[in-house]
Amino acid sequence: MGTCVAEPRTSQPIGIFGGTFDPIHFGHLRLAEELAESLELDHVRFIPTGMPPHRSRPRTDAEHRLAMVRIATANNPHFVVDAREVQLPHLSYTVDTLHSLRSEFGEQQSLCLLLGADAFLSLSSWHRWQELFLYAHIVIAHRPGFPQSTWKDAMPEILRDEIETRMANPQDLPNCPAGLIAARPITALDISATYIRETLNAGRNPRYLIPDAVLDYISNFQLYLPELP
Ligand code: ATP
Ligand code: MG
């Protein structure tokens, strides 16, 4: 069980939510909303990736992905858009982003990196992944009825060891700045940006999977159309 010396609570934790957001969809928005509510986060910072290091180049320019995140989050006072990664002229690693957030918010602030269970399972392939815990907690959002005992089997041993040492109750997260792992169930929405891109690419309509205003933006800028041969 992960523990930390309880520091006086200075404020509510901040949620850090990175992604390609190519495009942002209701799966992302529900994750952020439900974790903001259940963990009583001060706010969730949506941080679109610039050029992601551990996957292929996003289909869409960072400026468009950023604009869609802004549109989708505009009417939620607990959502903040953070453009620091798209503004970088080079590859952005999560560990560097967390380091810069830690410098900005100070040593005492509890920071929670929010990850879907699929993203967490690949964590040990991330650049300097063990250093992430110096700067933030990790909160794993998993589908209800898909508890730790199930997904522990799916993860590399090195990650399982990290879980054994760091796993904590979500209510401990505000009491220390970084270093714990917690898991929370969220409503399962089987939506992926890949599916939305494929739908648009095939000339079909992904409405009701993404906000209408994001769909309008996609139409205006003619994004995700079939690529010319
Ligand atoms: P792609 O299909 O291009 O991989 P994606 O829909 O998986 O896109 P990402 O930008 O890769 O979206 O994911 C960003 C974060 O959102 C990750 O932590 C991922 O686990 C989480 N996430 C993505 N889709 C969902 C969903 N439907 N429900 C909960 N979390 C999700
Ligand atoms: Mg993904």
Side-chain angles (χ1 to χ4, degrees):
M1 186 56 118
T3 51
C4 71
V5 180
E7 299 282 348
R9 180 174 161 154
T10 49
S11 62
Q12 292 160 285
I14 294 173
I16 313 296
F17 189 34
T20 321
F21 303 123
D22 189 17
I24 190 166
H25 55 68
F26 284 132
H28 299 129
L29 292 161
R30 276 311 296 181
L31 178 149
E33 174 72 3
E34 293 188 23
L35 293 184
E37 186 179 46
S38 68
L39 302 173
E40 297 182 28
L41 301 177
D42 180 76
H43 66 268
V44 175
R45 299 182 86 77
F46 286 71
I47 311 188
T49 48
M51 287 171 44
H54 55 276
R55 52 180 290 165
S56 53
R57 247 187 108 81
R59 173 83 197 271
T60 316
D61 285 349
E63 299 88 283
H64 284 312
R65 293 183 290 107
L66 176 65
M68 291 187 281
V69 171
R70 286 198 198 287
I71 289 167
T73 56
N75 58 9
N76 188 324
H78 293 292
F79 289 173
V80 169
V81 182
D82 184 325
R84 76 186 64 214
E85 288 195 6
V86 302
Q87 284 161 354
L88 287 175
H90 53 78
L91 291 181
S92 43
Y93 290 108
T94 302
V95 67
D96 296 325
T97 301
L98 291 180
H99 179 262
S100 93
L101 287 161
R102 175 57 67 200
S103 309
E104 188 171 319
F105 288 103
E107 291 304 314
Q108 303 301 315
Q109 174 65 52
S110 172
L111 297 177
C112 297
L113 180 67
L114 313 179
L115 294 178
D118 64 310
F120 179 77
L121 289 176
S122 69
L123 191 74
S124 54
S125 68
W126 292 20
H127 184 61
R128 289 161 47 210
W129 69 278
Q130 275 145 322
E131 287 177 49
L132 298 171
F133 296 105
L134 297 174
Y135 306 120
H137 305 301
I138 288 190
V139 178
I140 309 160
H142 62 90
R143 53 179 61 226
F146 186 60
Q148 275 172 57
S149 51
T150 326
W151 42 264
K152 263 189 182 168
D153 295 338
M155 69 181 69
E157 201 174 324
I158 193 162
L159 205 49
R160 212 175 304 151
D161 293 346
E162 211 64 51
I163 287 220
E164 310 261 289
T165 346
R166 298 184 182 277
M167 189 53 89
N169 290 320
Q171 61 264 35
D172 294 333
L173 300 173
N175 297 329
C176 55
L180 302 176
I181 299 177
R184 294 293 305 170
I186 56 163
T187 304
L189 293 175
D190 193 5
I191 305 172
S192 70
T194 301
Y195 177 76
I196 292 163
R197 291 193 300 274
E198 286 170 359
T199 301
L200 286 158
N201 204 258
R204 289 182 286 116
N205 194 330
R207 68 185 163 182
Y208 314 131
L209 299 176
I210 59 176
D212 287 345
V214 172
L215 191 53
D216 289 345
Y217 184 94
I218 289 171
S219 306
N220 284 345
F221 287 93
Q222 305 202 318
L223 306 179
Y224 309 110
L225 295 179
E227 276 168 40
L228 294 173

